[in-house]
Amino acid sequence: MRIPFNKPYMTGKELWYISQAHGNSHLAGDGVFTRQCSQWLEQRIGCRKALLTHSCTAALEMAAILADLGPGDEVIMPSYTFVSTANAFVLRGAVPVFVDIRADTLNIDETKIEAAITPRTRAIVPVHYAGVACEMDVIMDIALRHNLIVIEDAAQGIMSSYKGRALGSIGHLACLSFHETKNIISGEGGALLVNDSEFSQRAEIIREKGTNRSQFFRGLVDKYTWCDVGSSYLPGELIAAFLWAQMEEADAITAKRQEHWGLYHRLLATFEEKGRLRRPRIPPNCTHNAHMYYLLLPDLQVRSAFITAMKQQGVATVFHYVPLHSAPAGLRFGRSCGTLNVTDSVAKRLVRLPLWVGLDDGVKTVVAAVDAALG
Ligand SMILES: *Cc1c(COP(=O)(O)O)cnc(C)c1O
């Protein structure tokens, strides 16, 4: 492909920091670089505690353990999301309850959440699709009134905000991803953010195989031992060293992506005016990190022809998601509340355009290809 869909951006300092980690002879987790990364997250996001994990999936699994979910407990979430949003809870025997998304932001429709609450409901998982915030004030208010935990799936949301608050700082818990397809990357990687300090100590224990090793290393206890359920959720220092190089450049990376996103948005305005496609919507109280540029096309047939025509012009475009409520595992482990018409419609019509640091003039090439592909 002349223009690939994604191209991981490297700042140039990754190998330098990895060589420092190598020189420190501390290769396991929770060394100097892990500390720097978690402090950076705590300062930039304003969460109480940030714990690096080996993926966002791992952070979601930790959140499901922290929420003390058991078999039959219910978790409300959108169907239009990545599988890990649901899988983490299914692993605990909980039931994902899928509700529809809003037609504008493609985020969970907050007006449909209350109808999905039953005596078994324990948590709500809003997913900030494309790095654009869910309607968090309404969601937090529902959670407060029904005594539910809110776990933000902020896999795509680093450096975005809602009413001036960073995504990941609003729910009781939040999960980030540093997968190479996200904005700030370490290959595989993630973080659990803790905003309700009630969860802080247990989160550390779950992450360290169910032991109080973190407290032992801080000199708070004189031996460490098995205290709780847990697993190994922490990344090694080489990953954290890579990630540190990215965090140092996080503002520049975000600005560059926003530039590309803005150019797409301007160049595609007339396409929308002529009814050929629909562009993303950003609510006025949100700033976003330009994680994704997507188009909504008229129907599935147009989208299939579009992806083929783009490919013929050397431009890779992709679609997602197969809605979880209609996937084999979703049918087996979850259930839907109400109709999921927006979800079903969007899943057939959405296509993502290439967006990566270094794309530069490629944005114009892509838009010219869009013009030709739509005929
Ligand atoms: C990428 C993504 C995940 C999973 O992240 P990993 O770090 O790959 O585990 C989960 N949820 C959403 C919404 C994502 O986009």
Side-chain angles (χ1 to χ4, degrees):
M1 285 285 160
R2 204 151 44 97
I3 302 189
F5 173 68
N6 183 50
K7 200 164 163 183
Y9 171 70
M10 320 269 181
T11 68
K13 281 213 183 150
E14 286 83 357
L15 291 179
W16 164 240
Y17 288 138
I18 286 174
S19 74
Q20 282 190 9
H22 176 264
N24 291 343
S25 285
H26 178 126
L27 299 177
D30 285 338
V32 179
F33 285 103
T34 301
R35 216 153 34 240
Q36 278 178 206
C37 291
S38 28
Q39 278 169 3
W40 186 92
L41 289 169
E42 285 159 10
Q43 281 158 14
R44 290 301 299 254
I45 295 181
C47 54
R48 280 204 189 216
K49 192 176 200 63
L51 294 168
L52 292 196
T53 57
H54 50 72
S55 63
C56 179
T57 302
L60 286 161
E61 288 179 16
M62 288 180 65
I65 297 173
L66 284 165
D68 249 334
L69 296 174
D73 284 339
E74 296 176 355
V75 181
I76 297 171
M77 63 180 67
S79 164
Y80 192 69
T81 181
F82 187 63
V83 292
S84 296
T85 314
N87 237 340
F89 299 95
V90 169
L91 277 168
R92 313 249 57 84
V95 179
V97 176
F98 303 115
V99 302
D100 211 357
I101 51 173
R102 293 163 52 130
D104 56 355
T105 57
L106 318 188
N107 281 328
I108 189 166
D109 186 339
E110 68 281 358
T111 66
K112 304 240 163 98
I113 292 175
E114 264 186 302
I117 295 175
T118 74
R120 296 305 304 269
T121 307
R122 302 294 304 278
I124 307 171
V125 187
V127 179
H128 305 299
Y129 183 69
V132 178
C134 297
E135 192 42 76
M136 290 307 292
D137 277 350
V138 175
I139 293 171
M140 294 308 291
D141 177 61
I142 294 171
L144 186 67
R145 283 189 284 109
H146 295 270
N147 198 24
L148 307 175
I149 294 175
V150 174
I151 300 161
E152 291 175 74
D153 182 338
Q156 306 175 7
I158 195 167
M159 313 287 281
S160 293
S161 73
Y162 168 81
K163 300 186 181 175
R165 284 174 283 162
L167 300 192
S169 71
I170 305 167
H172 302 90
L173 298 164
C175 304
L176 301 178
S177 175
F178 304 119
H179 185 265
E180 77 165 36
T181 53
K182 303 300 200 287
N183 288 22
I184 307 298
I185 62 173
S186 60
E188 303 281 351
L192 177 75
L193 309 180
V194 180
N195 295 313
D196 183 335
S197 49
E198 185 197 321
F199 296 112
S200 297
Q201 194 177 341
R202 192 162 180 236
E204 277 187 351
I205 289 170
I206 289 166
R207 178 169 169 270
E208 269 284 18
K209 301 93 182 165
T211 74
N212 55 351
R213 183 147 96 181
S214 300
Q215 290 169 292
F216 173 71
F217 282 133
R218 286 204 298 272
L220 298 175
V221 290
D222 59 7
K223 62 179 173 4
Y224 79 87
T225 184
W226 186 20
C227 305
D228 203 336
V229 293
S231 188
S232 183
Y233 287 120
L234 65 167
E237 272 288 283
L238 299 184
I239 291 285
F242 189 107
L243 184 60
W244 178 243
Q246 296 267 320
M247 285 180 169
E248 278 191 331
E249 295 285 320
D251 289 308
I253 290 169
T254 307
K256 202 74 202 164
R257 294 185 73 98
Q258 284 165 338
E259 211 179 280
H260 294 350
W261 196 100
L263 186 56
Y264 269 135
H265 210 57
R266 282 195 299 284
L267 294 175
L268 290 164
T270 54
F271 290 64
E272 180 161 321
E273 282 158 24
K274 289 180 184 144
R276 298 168 84 191
L277 50 80
R278 207 211 81 184
R279 297 175 302 158
R281 299 274 188 274
I282 312 295
N285 52 15
C286 299
T287 67
H288 74 105
N289 60 5
H291 173 60
M292 189 190 300
Y293 202 89
Y294 65 80
L295 305 175
L296 285 169
L297 299 176
D299 58 39
L300 179 60
Q301 233 178 333
V302 173
R303 184 180 72 179
S304 306
F306 176 86
I307 291 174
T308 307
M310 292 297 280
K311 198 168 161 190
Q312 279 161 359
Q313 299 177 84
V315 180
T317 58
V318 302
F319 65 85
H320 69 183
Y321 301 100
V322 176
L324 300 185
H325 74 280
S326 56
L331 291 166
R332 188 164 149 211
F333 299 118
R335 67 176 172 80
S336 303
C337 178
T339 56
L340 278 75
N341 294 337
V342 182
T343 301
D344 286 327
S345 164
V346 163
K348 288 183 200 135
R349 300 189 293 119
L350 184 136
V351 64
R352 300 174 61 183
L353 302 182
L355 177 53
W356 34 270
V357 176
L359 178 60
D360 300 327
D361 272 352
V363 172
K364 289 179 193 156
T365 314
V366 174
V367 172
V370 170
D371 197 8
L374 289 176

